[in-house]
Every structure is written in structure tokens, then in C-alpha cells.
Amino acid sequence: MSNAIEARLSELGLTLPDAPAAAANYVPFVRSGSTLYVSGQISMGPDGFITGKVGSDLDVEQGAAAAKACALSLISQVRAACDGDLTRLKRVVKLTGFVNSGPDFTDQPKVINGASDTMVEIFGEAGRHSRSAVSAAALPFNVSVEIEGIFEIA
């Protein structure tokens, strides 16, 4: 592995997916100075979309796994924005997580913990961030989770 972050990913047994291409009329990320805004990343696994409503089709743990998948896609976008060099990441600033859930489901924060915990496991203190975790009546392609992020980069 070429750096400490790549080594940490390997140690955790995590593999970053290829940075997903934009699916509509937007770009995957925008850099403004040292701030990197990454568009919402939807829950994708090796077999395709992770779909369904959390709380009825998926339990909280499955939702958290979907959020972890979103976190790995976010990191892939950061890597792409930094020309493959994750050491340029200085801090995870904020995550905004959307959970496909019904009106009676209130554990959105537990679901988005799947992404937050992943950021801290990989980046340590630089992975600690502010956050929002909200319910969505529906998400694109019926995915379970979508998360966007703001990062500070060198």
C-alpha cells in the first residue's frame, strides 16, 4: 500500500469501489478552494443497488451496512478528486444522510452511524464530522440510503 490511509483500508478489509459516474445532470464532486463537495452517493453493493425501506424491508443493521457502502463511495469520489491521493484529505467536515423509511421509523441516526463509524475507523480524528440524518419517503432507484459529504482537502 502506498500510504497510511490505503494501509488502514487494507487492515480493515475494505476495498473502495470505482468512483461512480453521475447519473443525471450534475457532477460527482465540486472543489472550491480547499473544500470538496461530493454529490449524494447511493447505497450500492457488489450485486447492485441496496434497496428497500429501512424499518420494513431492512432492519437497522442492514441500513447501517447500506450507509457504510455510501461512505466507501464518498471516499472513492474524494480519491478521484485528489488524483488518487487520499493523503490529501485533511478532514471529513459534514455528512448529510437520507434514509428511505416510513413515517413511523425514527432510527435514522443509527442507520447513518454506518457511514460515520466508517469515516472514523478509516481516518481517525480527521474522520469526525458534523452530520444530519433524515428520513426520505423515497430515494432514487428505491435505494435504502443516500449520503452526500463535505471534505477539507489539501
Short mmCIF file of all heavy atoms in Angstrom, two decimals, residues 18-55:
data_model
loop_
_atom_site.label_atom_id
_atom_site.label_comp_id
_atom_site.label_asym_id
_atom_site.label_seq_id
_atom_site.Cartn_x
_atom_site.Cartn_y
_atom_site.Cartn_z
N ASP A 18 -14.92 1.73 -7.58
CA ASP A 18 -14.60 2.81 -8.51
C ASP A 18 -15.55 3.96 -8.22
O ASP A 18 -16.71 3.74 -7.85
CB ASP A 18 -14.77 2.35 -9.97
CG ASP A 18 -13.73 1.32 -10.37
OD1 ASP A 18 -12.63 1.30 -9.77
OD2 ASP A 18 -14.03 0.52 -11.27
N ALA A 19 -15.07 5.18 -8.39
CA ALA A 19 -15.92 6.35 -8.15
C ALA A 19 -17.09 6.31 -9.14
O ALA A 19 -16.88 6.32 -10.36
CB ALA A 19 -15.11 7.63 -8.32
N PRO A 20 -18.32 6.26 -8.63
CA PRO A 20 -19.47 6.20 -9.53
C PRO A 20 -19.60 7.46 -10.40
O PRO A 20 -19.34 8.56 -9.93
CB PRO A 20 -20.67 6.08 -8.58
CG PRO A 20 -20.09 5.57 -7.30
CD PRO A 20 -18.71 6.15 -7.22
N ALA A 21 -20.00 7.27 -11.63
CA ALA A 21 -20.25 8.39 -12.53
C ALA A 21 -21.57 9.04 -12.16
O ALA A 21 -22.44 8.42 -11.55
CB ALA A 21 -20.30 7.89 -13.98
N ALA A 22 -21.73 10.28 -12.54
CA ALA A 22 -23.00 10.98 -12.33
C ALA A 22 -24.10 10.28 -13.12
O ALA A 22 -23.88 9.83 -14.24
CB ALA A 22 -22.87 12.43 -12.75
N ALA A 23 -25.29 10.20 -12.52
CA ALA A 23 -26.41 9.52 -13.16
C ALA A 23 -27.40 10.48 -13.81
O ALA A 23 -28.39 10.05 -14.37
CB ALA A 23 -27.13 8.64 -12.14
N ALA A 24 -27.12 11.79 -13.73
CA ALA A 24 -28.03 12.78 -14.30
C ALA A 24 -27.22 14.05 -14.60
O ALA A 24 -26.01 13.98 -14.76
CB ALA A 24 -29.19 13.06 -13.34
N ASN A 25 -27.87 15.19 -14.62
CA ASN A 25 -27.23 16.44 -14.98
C ASN A 25 -26.57 17.11 -13.77
O ASN A 25 -27.06 18.11 -13.25
CB ASN A 25 -28.26 17.38 -15.62
CG ASN A 25 -27.61 18.61 -16.20
OD1 ASN A 25 -26.40 18.64 -16.41
ND2 ASN A 25 -28.41 19.63 -16.46
N TYR A 26 -25.50 16.51 -13.30
CA TYR A 26 -24.70 17.05 -12.20
C TYR A 26 -23.31 16.44 -12.29
O TYR A 26 -23.07 15.54 -13.10
CB TYR A 26 -25.34 16.75 -10.83
CG TYR A 26 -25.39 15.28 -10.49
CD1 TYR A 26 -24.36 14.66 -9.78
CD2 TYR A 26 -26.46 14.48 -10.88
CE1 TYR A 26 -24.38 13.31 -9.48
CE2 TYR A 26 -26.50 13.13 -10.59
CZ TYR A 26 -25.45 12.55 -9.88
OH TYR A 26 -25.48 11.21 -9.60
N VAL A 27 -22.39 16.91 -11.48
CA VAL A 27 -21.05 16.34 -11.44
C VAL A 27 -20.88 15.62 -10.10
O VAL A 27 -21.53 15.96 -9.11
CB VAL A 27 -19.95 17.41 -11.63
CG1 VAL A 27 -20.01 17.98 -13.04
CG2 VAL A 27 -20.07 18.52 -10.60
N PRO A 28 -20.01 14.60 -10.04
CA PRO A 28 -19.85 13.83 -8.81
C PRO A 28 -19.27 14.64 -7.65
O PRO A 28 -19.54 14.35 -6.49
CB PRO A 28 -18.90 12.71 -9.20
CG PRO A 28 -19.00 12.61 -10.68
CD PRO A 28 -19.30 14.00 -11.17
N PHE A 29 -18.46 15.65 -7.97
CA PHE A 29 -17.88 16.48 -6.91
C PHE A 29 -17.52 17.84 -7.47
O PHE A 29 -17.32 17.99 -8.68
CB PHE A 29 -16.65 15.83 -6.27
CG PHE A 29 -15.57 15.45 -7.25
CD1 PHE A 29 -14.66 16.39 -7.72
CD2 PHE A 29 -15.47 14.15 -7.72
CE1 PHE A 29 -13.68 16.05 -8.64
CE2 PHE A 29 -14.48 13.80 -8.64
CZ PHE A 29 -13.59 14.75 -9.10
N VAL A 30 -17.43 18.82 -6.57
CA VAL A 30 -17.00 20.17 -6.92
C VAL A 30 -16.01 20.62 -5.86
O VAL A 30 -16.28 20.48 -4.66
CB VAL A 30 -18.19 21.16 -6.97
CG1 VAL A 30 -17.71 22.60 -7.10
CG2 VAL A 30 -19.14 20.81 -8.09
N ARG A 31 -14.89 21.15 -6.31
CA ARG A 31 -13.90 21.69 -5.39
C ARG A 31 -13.97 23.21 -5.45
O ARG A 31 -13.98 23.81 -6.52
CB ARG A 31 -12.50 21.22 -5.76
CG ARG A 31 -11.46 21.76 -4.80
CD ARG A 31 -10.08 21.25 -5.12
NE ARG A 31 -9.14 21.80 -4.14
CZ ARG A 31 -7.88 21.51 -4.08
NH1 ARG A 31 -7.37 20.64 -4.94
NH2 ARG A 31 -7.11 22.06 -3.18
N SER A 32 -14.01 23.82 -4.26
CA SER A 32 -13.95 25.27 -4.15
C SER A 32 -12.89 25.57 -3.08
O SER A 32 -13.13 25.34 -1.89
CB SER A 32 -15.32 25.83 -3.73
OG SER A 32 -15.25 27.23 -3.59
N GLY A 33 -11.73 26.01 -3.52
CA GLY A 33 -10.62 26.20 -2.59
C GLY A 33 -10.22 24.87 -2.00
O GLY A 33 -9.99 23.90 -2.72
N SER A 34 -10.19 24.79 -0.69
CA SER A 34 -9.82 23.53 -0.03
C SER A 34 -11.05 22.72 0.39
O SER A 34 -10.92 21.70 1.07
CB SER A 34 -8.95 23.81 1.20
OG SER A 34 -9.68 24.56 2.15
N THR A 35 -12.23 23.16 -0.04
CA THR A 35 -13.46 22.44 0.30
C THR A 35 -13.91 21.60 -0.89
O THR A 35 -13.99 22.10 -2.02
CB THR A 35 -14.57 23.42 0.70
OG1 THR A 35 -14.09 24.24 1.78
CG2 THR A 35 -15.81 22.69 1.16
N LEU A 36 -14.20 20.34 -0.62
CA LEU A 36 -14.68 19.42 -1.64
C LEU A 36 -16.10 19.01 -1.29
O LEU A 36 -16.35 18.49 -0.19
CB LEU A 36 -13.77 18.18 -1.71
CG LEU A 36 -14.14 17.15 -2.77
CD1 LEU A 36 -13.88 17.71 -4.17
CD2 LEU A 36 -13.34 15.87 -2.54
N TYR A 37 -17.03 19.27 -2.21
CA TYR A 37 -18.43 18.90 -2.04
C TYR A 37 -18.67 17.66 -2.90
O TYR A 37 -18.48 17.71 -4.13
CB TYR A 37 -19.35 20.02 -2.50
CG TYR A 37 -19.14 21.31 -1.73
CD1 TYR A 37 -18.17 22.23 -2.12
CD2 TYR A 37 -19.90 21.59 -0.61
CE1 TYR A 37 -17.97 23.40 -1.42
CE2 TYR A 37 -19.71 22.76 0.11
CZ TYR A 37 -18.74 23.66 -0.30
OH TYR A 37 -18.55 24.82 0.40
N VAL A 38 -19.09 16.57 -2.27
CA VAL A 38 -19.34 15.34 -3.01
C VAL A 38 -20.84 15.11 -3.08
O VAL A 38 -21.54 15.12 -2.05
CB VAL A 38 -18.63 14.13 -2.36
CG1 VAL A 38 -18.93 12.85 -3.15
CG2 VAL A 38 -17.12 14.36 -2.31
N SER A 39 -21.33 14.93 -4.30
CA SER A 39 -22.75 14.67 -4.53
C SER A 39 -23.20 13.41 -3.80
O SER A 39 -22.39 12.54 -3.47
CB SER A 39 -23.02 14.51 -6.02
OG SER A 39 -22.72 15.70 -6.71
N GLY A 40 -24.50 13.30 -3.59
CA GLY A 40 -25.06 12.15 -2.90
C GLY A 40 -24.65 10.84 -3.55
O GLY A 40 -24.75 10.68 -4.77
N GLN A 41 -24.18 9.93 -2.70
CA GLN A 41 -23.79 8.59 -3.15
C GLN A 41 -24.85 7.62 -2.63
O GLN A 41 -25.19 7.63 -1.45
CB GLN A 41 -22.41 8.22 -2.59
CG GLN A 41 -21.32 9.18 -3.03
CD GLN A 41 -21.09 9.18 -4.53
OE1 GLN A 41 -20.69 8.18 -5.11
NE2 GLN A 41 -21.37 10.31 -5.16
N ILE A 42 -25.38 6.81 -3.53
CA ILE A 42 -26.46 5.90 -3.16
C ILE A 42 -25.90 4.54 -2.78
O ILE A 42 -24.79 4.18 -3.14
CB ILE A 42 -27.50 5.79 -4.29
CG1 ILE A 42 -26.88 5.30 -5.59
CG2 ILE A 42 -28.20 7.14 -4.49
CD1 ILE A 42 -27.88 5.11 -6.72
N SER A 43 -26.71 3.80 -2.01
CA SER A 43 -26.26 2.50 -1.50
C SER A 43 -26.16 1.48 -2.62
O SER A 43 -27.14 1.10 -3.22
CB SER A 43 -27.19 2.03 -0.38
OG SER A 43 -28.56 2.08 -0.76
N MET A 44 -24.90 1.09 -2.86
CA MET A 44 -24.59 0.07 -3.88
C MET A 44 -23.68 -0.98 -3.25
O MET A 44 -22.75 -0.63 -2.53
CB MET A 44 -23.82 0.69 -5.06
CG MET A 44 -24.61 1.62 -5.92
SD MET A 44 -25.40 0.82 -7.31
CE MET A 44 -24.05 0.10 -8.18
N GLY A 45 -23.96 -2.21 -3.54
CA GLY A 45 -23.11 -3.30 -3.11
C GLY A 45 -22.54 -4.01 -4.32
O GLY A 45 -22.78 -3.59 -5.46
N PRO A 46 -21.81 -5.08 -4.10
CA PRO A 46 -21.21 -5.81 -5.23
C PRO A 46 -22.25 -6.37 -6.20
O PRO A 46 -21.97 -6.58 -7.37
CB PRO A 46 -20.42 -6.93 -4.58
CG PRO A 46 -20.59 -6.81 -3.12
CD PRO A 46 -21.46 -5.63 -2.82
N ASP A 47 -23.48 -6.59 -5.71
CA ASP A 47 -24.53 -7.16 -6.54
C ASP A 47 -25.52 -6.12 -7.07
O ASP A 47 -26.56 -6.46 -7.60
CB ASP A 47 -25.29 -8.23 -5.75
CG ASP A 47 -24.38 -9.37 -5.33
OD1 ASP A 47 -23.48 -9.74 -6.10
OD2 ASP A 47 -24.57 -9.88 -4.20
N GLY A 48 -25.20 -4.84 -6.89
CA GLY A 48 -26.08 -3.78 -7.38
C GLY A 48 -26.64 -2.94 -6.26
O GLY A 48 -26.09 -2.89 -5.15
N PHE A 49 -27.74 -2.26 -6.55
CA PHE A 49 -28.35 -1.35 -5.57
C PHE A 49 -28.77 -2.10 -4.31
O PHE A 49 -29.28 -3.22 -4.39
CB PHE A 49 -29.59 -0.67 -6.15
CG PHE A 49 -29.33 0.23 -7.32
CD1 PHE A 49 -30.04 0.07 -8.50
CD2 PHE A 49 -28.39 1.24 -7.25
CE1 PHE A 49 -29.81 0.91 -9.58
CE2 PHE A 49 -28.15 2.09 -8.32
CZ PHE A 49 -28.87 1.91 -9.49
N ILE A 50 -28.60 -1.46 -3.16
CA ILE A 50 -29.16 -1.95 -1.89
C ILE A 50 -30.46 -1.19 -1.73
O ILE A 50 -30.46 0.04 -1.55
CB ILE A 50 -28.20 -1.68 -0.72
CG1 ILE A 50 -26.86 -2.37 -0.97
CG2 ILE A 50 -28.83 -2.15 0.60
CD1 ILE A 50 -25.75 -1.95 -0.02
N THR A 51 -31.57 -1.89 -1.83
CA THR A 51 -32.88 -1.24 -1.94
C THR A 51 -33.81 -1.60 -0.78
O THR A 51 -33.58 -2.55 -0.05
CB THR A 51 -33.57 -1.62 -3.26
OG1 THR A 51 -33.76 -3.04 -3.28
CG2 THR A 51 -32.74 -1.21 -4.47
N GLY A 52 -34.87 -0.83 -0.70
CA GLY A 52 -35.95 -1.08 0.25
C GLY A 52 -36.00 -0.06 1.36
O GLY A 52 -35.05 0.68 1.60
N LYS A 53 -37.13 -0.04 2.04
CA LYS A 53 -37.33 0.88 3.16
C LYS A 53 -36.72 0.27 4.42
O LYS A 53 -37.00 -0.87 4.76
CB LYS A 53 -38.81 1.16 3.38
CG LYS A 53 -39.40 2.05 2.31
CD LYS A 53 -40.67 2.69 2.80
CE LYS A 53 -41.23 3.64 1.77
NZ LYS A 53 -40.42 4.81 1.53
N VAL A 54 -35.91 1.10 5.10
CA VAL A 54 -35.35 0.67 6.37
C VAL A 54 -36.47 0.76 7.41
O VAL A 54 -37.18 1.74 7.49
CB VAL A 54 -34.14 1.53 6.78
CG1 VAL A 54 -33.55 1.04 8.10
CG2 VAL A 54 -33.08 1.53 5.68
N GLY A 55 -36.62 -0.30 8.17
CA GLY A 55 -37.68 -0.37 9.16
C GLY A 55 -38.79 -1.31 8.75
O GLY A 55 -39.52 -1.81 9.59
#
